[in-house]
Amino acid sequence: MRVVNRLLAVLLAIGVVLAAAVTVLEVSAQRANHRPLVLNWPGVYDWATRTTWGAAPVLLLSIGLTVTGVLLLATQLTPRRPDRLPISCSHPATDAAITRSGLARSLRRAVTEVDGVSQARVTVRRRRARIRVTARAGAASDTGALRTTLTEAARRQLDALGLTRPPALSVKVTAPER
């Protein structure tokens, strides 16, 4: 959502700068008794004085602007994915948190230190941490014990971080491909 907000802000800023530049150019040209430079604003002004509020172009423009405004409002009112997971603190004035990507790196580091793991992939959501591990060739025969060990290692890491609402763990162990 941040990317969309930043893109919309850049587009809006460019539009405002262009509108301001055109206004400055047109006012300067009009004051110097020259014809319009960029926009034929006298023609637009004449069209606007002849057109009623009920005319089709005015209604279509109004509907388009209303729909655009409602869409922009809806995008801003939809709840965003939480980027940070709160960490419990002893002092009430302290606000500590860990990002989801930081928690994923921490869990990945904890599970890759377990013997028998060749590769680990961790995705963290608000309520669930999904850990997918590929076992080494020698450890592939006992994936149940490896899964239990990995779950314990990940649980210890979550407990050490002290999250207020730790995500539920989902650990999946796969044998290496031959």
Side-chain angles (χ1 to χ4, degrees), residues 12-77:
L12 183 63
I14 289 171
V16 168
V17 167
L18 288 176
V22 167
T23 302
V24 167
L25 286 173
E26 293 300 336
V27 167
S28 300
Q30 196 271 336
R31 292 292 177 198
N33 293 327
H34 285 84
R35 61 178 178 77
L37 299 174
V38 179
L39 179 68
N40 183 16
W41 60 268
V44 173
Y45 179 76
D46 290 340
W47 174 83
T49 56
R50 291 188 317 267
T51 307
T52 64
W53 286 105
V58 175
L59 289 176
L60 289 175
L61 182 63
S62 300
I63 290 169
L65 289 174
T66 302
V67 168
T68 303
V70 167
L71 288 175
L72 286 173
L73 184 64
T75 60
Q76 293 305 309
L77 292 179

Short mmCIF file of all heavy atoms in Angstrom, two decimals, residues 12-77:
data_model
loop_
_atom_site.label_atom_id
_atom_site.label_comp_id
_atom_site.label_asym_id
_atom_site.label_seq_id
_atom_site.Cartn_x
_atom_site.Cartn_y
_atom_site.Cartn_z
N LEU A 12 0.12 13.20 -8.19
CA LEU A 12 -0.59 14.41 -7.78
C LEU A 12 0.35 15.61 -7.72
O LEU A 12 -0.01 16.71 -8.17
CB LEU A 12 -1.27 14.19 -6.42
CG LEU A 12 -2.11 15.34 -5.90
CD1 LEU A 12 -3.28 15.61 -6.83
CD2 LEU A 12 -2.60 15.03 -4.50
N ALA A 13 1.55 15.41 -7.20
CA ALA A 13 2.52 16.51 -7.13
C ALA A 13 2.92 16.99 -8.53
O ALA A 13 3.02 18.19 -8.78
CB ALA A 13 3.76 16.07 -6.35
N ILE A 14 3.12 16.05 -9.44
CA ILE A 14 3.46 16.44 -10.81
C ILE A 14 2.31 17.21 -11.44
O ILE A 14 2.52 18.23 -12.12
CB ILE A 14 3.82 15.19 -11.65
CG1 ILE A 14 5.16 14.62 -11.20
CG2 ILE A 14 3.85 15.50 -13.14
CD1 ILE A 14 5.50 13.27 -11.81
N GLY A 15 1.08 16.75 -11.21
CA GLY A 15 -0.08 17.47 -11.74
C GLY A 15 -0.20 18.88 -11.19
O GLY A 15 -0.49 19.82 -11.93
N VAL A 16 0.02 19.05 -9.89
CA VAL A 16 -0.06 20.38 -9.28
C VAL A 16 1.05 21.28 -9.82
O VAL A 16 0.81 22.46 -10.13
CB VAL A 16 0.01 20.27 -7.74
CG1 VAL A 16 0.22 21.61 -7.09
CG2 VAL A 16 -1.25 19.62 -7.20
N VAL A 17 2.26 20.75 -9.96
CA VAL A 17 3.37 21.56 -10.49
C VAL A 17 3.09 21.97 -11.92
O VAL A 17 3.32 23.14 -12.30
CB VAL A 17 4.70 20.78 -10.37
CG1 VAL A 17 5.80 21.44 -11.19
CG2 VAL A 17 5.12 20.68 -8.92
N LEU A 18 2.59 21.05 -12.75
CA LEU A 18 2.27 21.40 -14.14
C LEU A 18 1.15 22.43 -14.21
O LEU A 18 1.22 23.38 -15.02
CB LEU A 18 1.90 20.15 -14.93
CG LEU A 18 3.05 19.20 -15.25
CD1 LEU A 18 2.52 17.94 -15.94
CD2 LEU A 18 4.09 19.88 -16.11
N ALA A 19 0.11 22.26 -13.40
CA ALA A 19 -0.98 23.23 -13.39
C ALA A 19 -0.49 24.61 -12.95
O ALA A 19 -0.88 25.63 -13.53
CB ALA A 19 -2.11 22.75 -12.48
N ALA A 20 0.37 24.65 -11.95
CA ALA A 20 0.92 25.93 -11.49
C ALA A 20 1.79 26.57 -12.57
O ALA A 20 1.72 27.79 -12.80
CB ALA A 20 1.73 25.72 -10.20
N ALA A 21 2.60 25.78 -13.25
CA ALA A 21 3.46 26.32 -14.30
C ALA A 21 2.63 26.87 -15.46
O ALA A 21 2.92 27.96 -15.99
CB ALA A 21 4.42 25.24 -14.80
N VAL A 22 1.60 26.13 -15.87
CA VAL A 22 0.74 26.61 -16.96
C VAL A 22 0.02 27.89 -16.54
O VAL A 22 -0.09 28.84 -17.33
CB VAL A 22 -0.26 25.51 -17.38
CG1 VAL A 22 -1.36 26.06 -18.26
CG2 VAL A 22 0.46 24.37 -18.07
N THR A 23 -0.44 27.94 -15.30
CA THR A 23 -1.12 29.15 -14.81
C THR A 23 -0.18 30.35 -14.84
O THR A 23 -0.56 31.44 -15.29
CB THR A 23 -1.65 28.91 -13.38
OG1 THR A 23 -2.54 27.80 -13.41
CG2 THR A 23 -2.38 30.13 -12.87
N VAL A 24 1.04 30.17 -14.36
CA VAL A 24 2.01 31.28 -14.36
C VAL A 24 2.29 31.73 -15.79
O VAL A 24 2.33 32.95 -16.08
CB VAL A 24 3.30 30.86 -13.63
CG1 VAL A 24 4.43 31.85 -13.88
CG2 VAL A 24 3.05 30.72 -12.14
N LEU A 25 2.49 30.77 -16.71
CA LEU A 25 2.76 31.14 -18.10
C LEU A 25 1.57 31.88 -18.74
O LEU A 25 1.76 32.90 -19.43
CB LEU A 25 3.07 29.88 -18.92
CG LEU A 25 4.43 29.24 -18.71
CD1 LEU A 25 4.53 27.92 -19.45
CD2 LEU A 25 5.53 30.18 -19.17
N GLU A 26 0.38 31.37 -18.50
CA GLU A 26 -0.79 32.00 -19.12
C GLU A 26 -1.08 33.38 -18.54
O GLU A 26 -1.44 34.31 -19.28
CB GLU A 26 -2.02 31.09 -18.96
CG GLU A 26 -1.94 29.79 -19.73
CD GLU A 26 -1.80 29.99 -21.24
OE1 GLU A 26 -2.20 31.04 -21.76
OE2 GLU A 26 -1.29 29.06 -21.88
N VAL A 27 -0.93 33.54 -17.24
CA VAL A 27 -1.15 34.86 -16.63
C VAL A 27 -0.09 35.85 -17.12
O VAL A 27 -0.40 37.01 -17.45
CB VAL A 27 -1.15 34.76 -15.09
CG1 VAL A 27 -1.07 36.13 -14.44
CG2 VAL A 27 -2.39 34.02 -14.61
N SER A 28 1.16 35.39 -17.20
CA SER A 28 2.22 36.28 -17.70
C SER A 28 1.97 36.67 -19.16
O SER A 28 2.16 37.84 -19.53
CB SER A 28 3.58 35.58 -17.59
OG SER A 28 3.87 35.26 -16.26
N ALA A 29 1.55 35.72 -19.98
CA ALA A 29 1.28 36.02 -21.39
C ALA A 29 0.09 36.97 -21.52
O ALA A 29 0.12 37.90 -22.34
CB ALA A 29 1.02 34.73 -22.16
N GLN A 30 -0.95 36.77 -20.71
CA GLN A 30 -2.11 37.65 -20.79
C GLN A 30 -1.76 39.06 -20.34
O GLN A 30 -2.20 40.04 -20.95
CB GLN A 30 -3.25 37.06 -19.92
CG GLN A 30 -4.60 37.64 -20.20
CD GLN A 30 -4.91 38.87 -19.35
OE1 GLN A 30 -4.34 39.06 -18.28
NE2 GLN A 30 -5.78 39.71 -19.86
N ARG A 31 -0.95 39.19 -19.31
CA ARG A 31 -0.55 40.52 -18.82
C ARG A 31 0.35 41.24 -19.83
O ARG A 31 0.39 42.47 -19.86
CB ARG A 31 0.17 40.41 -17.47
CG ARG A 31 -0.72 39.98 -16.35
CD ARG A 31 -1.71 41.06 -16.04
NE ARG A 31 -2.63 40.61 -15.01
CZ ARG A 31 -3.77 41.15 -14.77
NH1 ARG A 31 -4.19 42.17 -15.48
NH2 ARG A 31 -4.54 40.68 -13.83
N ALA A 32 1.09 40.47 -20.63
CA ALA A 32 1.96 41.07 -21.64
C ALA A 32 1.21 41.26 -22.96
O ALA A 32 1.85 41.56 -23.98
CB ALA A 32 3.19 40.19 -21.85
N ASN A 33 -0.12 41.09 -22.95
CA ASN A 33 -0.97 41.25 -24.13
C ASN A 33 -0.57 40.31 -25.27
O ASN A 33 -0.57 40.69 -26.44
CB ASN A 33 -0.96 42.70 -24.62
CG ASN A 33 -1.62 43.62 -23.62
OD1 ASN A 33 -2.57 43.22 -22.94
ND2 ASN A 33 -1.11 44.84 -23.51
N HIS A 34 -0.22 39.09 -24.93
CA HIS A 34 0.07 38.05 -25.92
C HIS A 34 -1.08 37.05 -25.95
O HIS A 34 -1.89 36.99 -25.04
CB HIS A 34 1.38 37.30 -25.58
CG HIS A 34 2.59 38.09 -25.87
ND1 HIS A 34 3.11 39.02 -25.00
CD2 HIS A 34 3.41 38.09 -26.95
CE1 HIS A 34 4.20 39.55 -25.51
NE2 HIS A 34 4.41 39.00 -26.71
N ARG A 35 -1.11 36.25 -27.01
CA ARG A 35 -2.11 35.20 -27.10
C ARG A 35 -1.75 34.09 -26.11
O ARG A 35 -0.61 34.00 -25.65
CB ARG A 35 -2.19 34.66 -28.52
CG ARG A 35 -0.90 34.05 -29.02
CD ARG A 35 -1.07 33.50 -30.43
NE ARG A 35 0.17 32.95 -30.91
CZ ARG A 35 0.69 31.79 -30.54
NH1 ARG A 35 0.07 31.06 -29.68
NH2 ARG A 35 1.83 31.36 -31.06
N PRO A 36 -2.70 33.19 -25.79
CA PRO A 36 -2.41 32.09 -24.87
C PRO A 36 -1.27 31.21 -25.39
O PRO A 36 -1.17 30.93 -26.59
CB PRO A 36 -3.71 31.29 -24.81
CG PRO A 36 -4.76 32.28 -25.21
CD PRO A 36 -4.11 33.23 -26.17
N LEU A 37 -0.39 30.76 -24.48
CA LEU A 37 0.78 29.98 -24.87
C LEU A 37 0.52 28.48 -24.90
O LEU A 37 0.86 27.81 -25.87
CB LEU A 37 1.94 30.26 -23.90
CG LEU A 37 2.43 31.72 -23.84
CD1 LEU A 37 3.47 31.87 -22.76
CD2 LEU A 37 3.01 32.11 -25.19
N VAL A 38 -0.03 27.93 -23.84
CA VAL A 38 -0.19 26.48 -23.71
C VAL A 38 -1.64 26.06 -23.84
O VAL A 38 -1.96 25.12 -24.55
CB VAL A 38 0.38 25.99 -22.36
CG1 VAL A 38 0.21 24.50 -22.18
CG2 VAL A 38 1.85 26.38 -22.22
N LEU A 39 -2.51 26.73 -23.16
CA LEU A 39 -3.91 26.35 -23.09
C LEU A 39 -4.76 27.49 -23.64
O LEU A 39 -4.58 28.65 -23.25
CB LEU A 39 -4.28 26.09 -21.62
CG LEU A 39 -5.70 25.69 -21.31
CD1 LEU A 39 -6.00 24.31 -21.87
CD2 LEU A 39 -5.92 25.68 -19.81
N ASN A 40 -5.68 27.16 -24.51
CA ASN A 40 -6.58 28.18 -25.05
C ASN A 40 -7.67 28.44 -24.02
O ASN A 40 -8.83 28.05 -24.18
CB ASN A 40 -7.17 27.69 -26.39
CG ASN A 40 -8.05 28.74 -27.01
OD1 ASN A 40 -8.03 29.92 -26.64
ND2 ASN A 40 -8.85 28.32 -27.98
N TRP A 41 -7.31 29.12 -22.96
CA TRP A 41 -8.27 29.34 -21.87
C TRP A 41 -9.40 30.27 -22.25
O TRP A 41 -10.51 30.10 -21.72
CB TRP A 41 -7.56 29.79 -20.59
CG TRP A 41 -6.80 31.07 -20.71
CD1 TRP A 41 -5.50 31.22 -21.02
CD2 TRP A 41 -7.32 32.37 -20.51
NE1 TRP A 41 -5.15 32.54 -21.06
CE2 TRP A 41 -6.27 33.28 -20.73
CE3 TRP A 41 -8.57 32.89 -20.18
CZ2 TRP A 41 -6.43 34.65 -20.64
CZ3 TRP A 41 -8.72 34.25 -20.08
CH2 TRP A 41 -7.65 35.12 -20.30
N PRO A 42 -9.25 31.25 -23.15
CA PRO A 42 -10.43 32.03 -23.53
C PRO A 42 -11.49 31.16 -24.22
O PRO A 42 -12.70 31.33 -23.98
CB PRO A 42 -9.89 33.09 -24.48
CG PRO A 42 -8.47 33.26 -24.10
CD PRO A 42 -8.03 31.89 -23.70
N GLY A 43 -11.06 30.18 -25.03
CA GLY A 43 -12.01 29.27 -25.67
C GLY A 43 -12.69 28.38 -24.63
O GLY A 43 -13.90 28.12 -24.72
N VAL A 44 -11.93 27.91 -23.65
CA VAL A 44 -12.51 27.08 -22.58
C VAL A 44 -13.49 27.92 -21.76
O VAL A 44 -14.58 27.45 -21.40
CB VAL A 44 -11.40 26.50 -21.68
CG1 VAL A 44 -11.97 25.79 -20.47
CG2 VAL A 44 -10.50 25.55 -22.47
N TYR A 45 -13.12 29.16 -21.50
CA TYR A 45 -14.00 30.05 -20.74
C TYR A 45 -15.31 30.30 -21.51
O TYR A 45 -16.40 30.26 -20.92
CB TYR A 45 -13.29 31.36 -20.44
CG TYR A 45 -14.14 32.33 -19.67
CD1 TYR A 45 -14.36 32.16 -18.31
CD2 TYR A 45 -14.73 33.43 -20.31
CE1 TYR A 45 -15.15 33.05 -17.61
CE2 TYR A 45 -15.52 34.31 -19.62
CZ TYR A 45 -15.72 34.13 -18.25
OH TYR A 45 -16.50 35.01 -17.56
N ASP A 46 -15.21 30.55 -22.82
CA ASP A 46 -16.41 30.77 -23.63
C ASP A 46 -17.30 29.52 -23.65
O ASP A 46 -18.52 29.61 -23.54
CB ASP A 46 -16.02 31.14 -25.07
CG ASP A 46 -15.42 32.54 -25.15
OD1 ASP A 46 -15.63 33.33 -24.21
OD2 ASP A 46 -14.71 32.81 -26.13
N TRP A 47 -16.66 28.33 -23.79
CA TRP A 47 -17.43 27.09 -23.77
C TRP A 47 -18.14 26.91 -22.43
O TRP A 47 -19.30 26.52 -22.38
CB TRP A 47 -16.51 25.90 -24.05
CG TRP A 47 -17.20 24.58 -23.90
CD1 TRP A 47 -17.95 23.96 -24.84
CD2 TRP A 47 -17.23 23.75 -22.75
NE1 TRP A 47 -18.44 22.76 -24.35
CE2 TRP A 47 -18.01 22.62 -23.06
CE3 TRP A 47 -16.68 23.84 -21.47
CZ2 TRP A 47 -18.24 21.59 -22.15
CZ3 TRP A 47 -16.90 22.82 -20.57
CH2 TRP A 47 -17.69 21.71 -20.91
N ALA A 48 -17.44 27.23 -21.34
CA ALA A 48 -18.02 27.05 -20.00
C ALA A 48 -19.19 28.01 -19.77
O ALA A 48 -20.16 27.64 -19.09
CB ALA A 48 -16.95 27.24 -18.93
N THR A 49 -19.13 29.22 -20.32
CA THR A 49 -20.24 30.16 -20.13
C THR A 49 -21.47 29.75 -20.94
O THR A 49 -22.59 30.07 -20.56
CB THR A 49 -19.82 31.59 -20.50
OG1 THR A 49 -19.34 31.61 -21.84
CG2 THR A 49 -18.77 32.11 -19.55
N ARG A 50 -21.27 29.02 -22.04
CA ARG A 50 -22.39 28.59 -22.87
C ARG A 50 -22.98 27.26 -22.41
O ARG A 50 -24.10 26.92 -22.78
CB ARG A 50 -21.94 28.43 -24.33
CG ARG A 50 -21.60 29.70 -25.04
CD ARG A 50 -21.35 29.46 -26.53
NE ARG A 50 -20.55 28.28 -26.82
CZ ARG A 50 -19.23 28.27 -26.97
NH1 ARG A 50 -18.55 29.40 -26.85
NH2 ARG A 50 -18.58 27.17 -27.25
N THR A 51 -22.27 26.50 -21.62
CA THR A 51 -22.69 25.14 -21.24
C THR A 51 -23.42 25.17 -19.91
O THR A 51 -22.98 25.82 -18.96
CB THR A 51 -21.46 24.22 -21.14
OG1 THR A 51 -20.72 24.30 -22.34
CG2 THR A 51 -21.87 22.79 -20.90
N THR A 52 -24.52 24.43 -19.84
CA THR A 52 -25.29 24.36 -18.58
C THR A 52 -24.77 23.21 -17.72
O THR A 52 -24.04 22.32 -18.19
CB THR A 52 -26.78 24.12 -18.88
OG1 THR A 52 -26.91 22.83 -19.50
CG2 THR A 52 -27.35 25.20 -19.78
N TRP A 53 -25.18 23.21 -16.45
CA TRP A 53 -24.77 22.17 -15.52
C TRP A 53 -25.36 20.81 -15.90
O TRP A 53 -24.82 19.78 -15.53
CB TRP A 53 -25.19 22.52 -14.09
CG TRP A 53 -24.35 23.60 -13.51
CD1 TRP A 53 -24.70 24.89 -13.33
CD2 TRP A 53 -23.01 23.47 -13.02
NE1 TRP A 53 -23.66 25.60 -12.77
CE2 TRP A 53 -22.60 24.74 -12.57
CE3 TRP A 53 -22.10 22.43 -12.94
CZ2 TRP A 53 -21.35 24.99 -12.04
CZ3 TRP A 53 -20.85 22.67 -12.40
CH2 TRP A 53 -20.49 23.94 -11.96
N GLY A 54 -26.44 20.80 -16.63
CA GLY A 54 -27.08 19.55 -17.01
C GLY A 54 -26.57 18.99 -18.32
O GLY A 54 -27.06 17.95 -18.77
N ALA A 55 -25.62 19.63 -18.96
CA ALA A 55 -25.10 19.14 -20.25
C ALA A 55 -24.32 17.84 -20.04
O ALA A 55 -23.74 17.59 -18.98
CB ALA A 55 -24.20 20.20 -20.88
N ALA A 56 -24.34 17.00 -21.07
CA ALA A 56 -23.71 15.68 -20.99
C ALA A 56 -22.21 15.75 -20.64
O ALA A 56 -21.75 14.99 -19.77
CB ALA A 56 -23.92 14.93 -22.29
N PRO A 57 -21.41 16.63 -21.24
CA PRO A 57 -19.98 16.65 -20.87
C PRO A 57 -19.77 17.02 -19.39
O PRO A 57 -18.89 16.44 -18.74
CB PRO A 57 -19.38 17.72 -21.78
CG PRO A 57 -20.32 17.85 -22.91
CD PRO A 57 -21.66 17.52 -22.37
N VAL A 58 -20.58 17.92 -18.88
CA VAL A 58 -20.43 18.32 -17.48
C VAL A 58 -20.83 17.18 -16.56
O VAL A 58 -20.16 16.89 -15.57
CB VAL A 58 -21.26 19.60 -17.19
CG1 VAL A 58 -21.20 19.95 -15.72
CG2 VAL A 58 -20.76 20.75 -18.04
N LEU A 59 -21.93 16.50 -16.90
CA LEU A 59 -22.37 15.36 -16.08
C LEU A 59 -21.35 14.22 -16.12
O LEU A 59 -21.05 13.62 -15.08
CB LEU A 59 -23.74 14.87 -16.56
CG LEU A 59 -24.92 15.79 -16.26
CD1 LEU A 59 -26.19 15.22 -16.87
CD2 LEU A 59 -25.08 15.98 -14.77
N LEU A 60 -20.81 13.91 -17.28
CA LEU A 60 -19.82 12.84 -17.39
C LEU A 60 -18.54 13.17 -16.61
O LEU A 60 -17.97 12.31 -15.93
CB LEU A 60 -19.49 12.56 -18.85
CG LEU A 60 -20.58 11.87 -19.66
CD1 LEU A 60 -20.17 11.77 -21.13
CD2 LEU A 60 -20.88 10.50 -19.09
N LEU A 61 -18.12 14.42 -16.69
CA LEU A 61 -16.94 14.84 -15.94
C LEU A 61 -17.21 14.76 -14.44
O LEU A 61 -16.36 14.30 -13.67
CB LEU A 61 -16.53 16.28 -16.33
CG LEU A 61 -15.29 16.83 -15.65
CD1 LEU A 61 -14.07 16.02 -16.04
CD2 LEU A 61 -15.10 18.29 -16.02
N SER A 62 -18.38 15.18 -14.01
CA SER A 62 -18.75 15.11 -12.59
C SER A 62 -18.80 13.67 -12.10
O SER A 62 -18.29 13.37 -11.01
CB SER A 62 -20.10 15.78 -12.36
OG SER A 62 -20.05 17.12 -12.73
N ILE A 63 -19.39 12.79 -12.89
CA ILE A 63 -19.45 11.38 -12.51
C ILE A 63 -18.05 10.77 -12.44
O ILE A 63 -17.72 10.05 -11.49
CB ILE A 63 -20.36 10.60 -13.48
CG1 ILE A 63 -21.81 11.02 -13.28
CG2 ILE A 63 -20.21 9.09 -13.29
CD1 ILE A 63 -22.75 10.50 -14.35
N GLY A 64 -17.22 11.09 -13.41
CA GLY A 64 -15.84 10.58 -13.40
C GLY A 64 -15.05 11.05 -12.20
O GLY A 64 -14.33 10.27 -11.56
N LEU A 65 -15.18 12.33 -11.86
CA LEU A 65 -14.46 12.86 -10.70
C LEU A 65 -15.00 12.26 -9.40
O LEU A 65 -14.23 11.97 -8.47
CB LEU A 65 -14.56 14.38 -10.67
CG LEU A 65 -13.76 15.11 -11.73
CD1 LEU A 65 -14.06 16.61 -11.69
CD2 LEU A 65 -12.28 14.85 -11.56
N THR A 66 -16.32 12.05 -9.33
CA THR A 66 -16.90 11.44 -8.13
C THR A 66 -16.42 10.01 -7.95
O THR A 66 -16.04 9.61 -6.84
CB THR A 66 -18.43 11.48 -8.21
OG1 THR A 66 -18.86 12.84 -8.34
CG2 THR A 66 -19.07 10.88 -6.98
N VAL A 67 -16.43 9.23 -9.03
CA VAL A 67 -15.97 7.84 -8.95
C VAL A 67 -14.49 7.79 -8.56
O VAL A 67 -14.08 6.99 -7.72
CB VAL A 67 -16.23 7.11 -10.29
CG1 VAL A 67 -15.51 5.78 -10.35
CG2 VAL A 67 -17.71 6.91 -10.49
N THR A 68 -13.68 8.66 -9.15
CA THR A 68 -12.26 8.71 -8.80
C THR A 68 -12.08 9.05 -7.33
O THR A 68 -11.26 8.44 -6.64
CB THR A 68 -11.53 9.73 -9.69
OG1 THR A 68 -11.72 9.38 -11.06
CG2 THR A 68 -10.06 9.77 -9.37
N GLY A 69 -12.81 10.02 -6.84
CA GLY A 69 -12.71 10.41 -5.43
C GLY A 69 -13.14 9.29 -4.50
O GLY A 69 -12.49 9.05 -3.47
N VAL A 70 -14.21 8.59 -4.84
CA VAL A 70 -14.67 7.47 -3.99
C VAL A 70 -13.64 6.35 -4.00
O VAL A 70 -13.36 5.74 -2.95
CB VAL A 70 -16.06 6.97 -4.46
CG1 VAL A 70 -16.42 5.65 -3.82
CG2 VAL A 70 -17.11 8.02 -4.14
N LEU A 71 -13.04 6.05 -5.16
CA LEU A 71 -12.01 5.01 -5.22
C LEU A 71 -10.79 5.39 -4.39
O LEU A 71 -10.23 4.56 -3.68
CB LEU A 71 -11.61 4.74 -6.67
CG LEU A 71 -12.63 3.99 -7.51
CD1 LEU A 71 -12.16 3.88 -8.96
CD2 LEU A 71 -12.90 2.61 -6.93
N LEU A 72 -10.36 6.64 -4.49
CA LEU A 72 -9.22 7.09 -3.68
C LEU A 72 -9.55 7.01 -2.19
O LEU A 72 -8.72 6.59 -1.38
CB LEU A 72 -8.83 8.52 -4.06
CG LEU A 72 -8.09 8.68 -5.38
CD1 LEU A 72 -7.91 10.16 -5.70
CD2 LEU A 72 -6.75 7.99 -5.32
N LEU A 73 -10.74 7.41 -1.83
CA LEU A 73 -11.17 7.35 -0.42
C LEU A 73 -11.22 5.90 0.06
O LEU A 73 -10.76 5.59 1.16
CB LEU A 73 -12.52 8.02 -0.26
CG LEU A 73 -13.05 8.13 1.17
CD1 LEU A 73 -12.15 9.01 2.00
CD2 LEU A 73 -14.46 8.68 1.16
N ALA A 74 -11.73 5.01 -0.77
CA ALA A 74 -11.82 3.60 -0.38
C ALA A 74 -10.44 2.99 -0.20
O ALA A 74 -10.22 2.19 0.72
CB ALA A 74 -12.62 2.82 -1.42
N THR A 75 -9.50 3.34 -1.07
CA THR A 75 -8.15 2.79 -0.92
C THR A 75 -7.48 3.28 0.35
O THR A 75 -6.69 2.56 0.95
CB THR A 75 -7.25 3.13 -2.12
OG1 THR A 75 -7.14 4.55 -2.26
CG2 THR A 75 -7.77 2.51 -3.39
N GLN A 76 -7.79 4.49 0.77
CA GLN A 76 -7.17 5.01 1.99
C GLN A 76 -7.86 4.51 3.25
O GLN A 76 -7.26 4.48 4.32
CB GLN A 76 -7.17 6.54 1.97
CG GLN A 76 -6.27 7.12 0.91
CD GLN A 76 -4.86 6.61 1.02
OE1 GLN A 76 -4.26 6.64 2.08
NE2 GLN A 76 -4.31 6.10 -0.08
N LEU A 77 -9.12 4.11 3.16
CA LEU A 77 -9.85 3.65 4.34
C LEU A 77 -9.72 2.15 4.58
O LEU A 77 -10.05 1.69 5.67
CB LEU A 77 -11.33 4.03 4.23
CG LEU A 77 -11.64 5.52 4.32
CD1 LEU A 77 -13.13 5.76 4.16
CD2 LEU A 77 -11.14 6.11 5.62
#
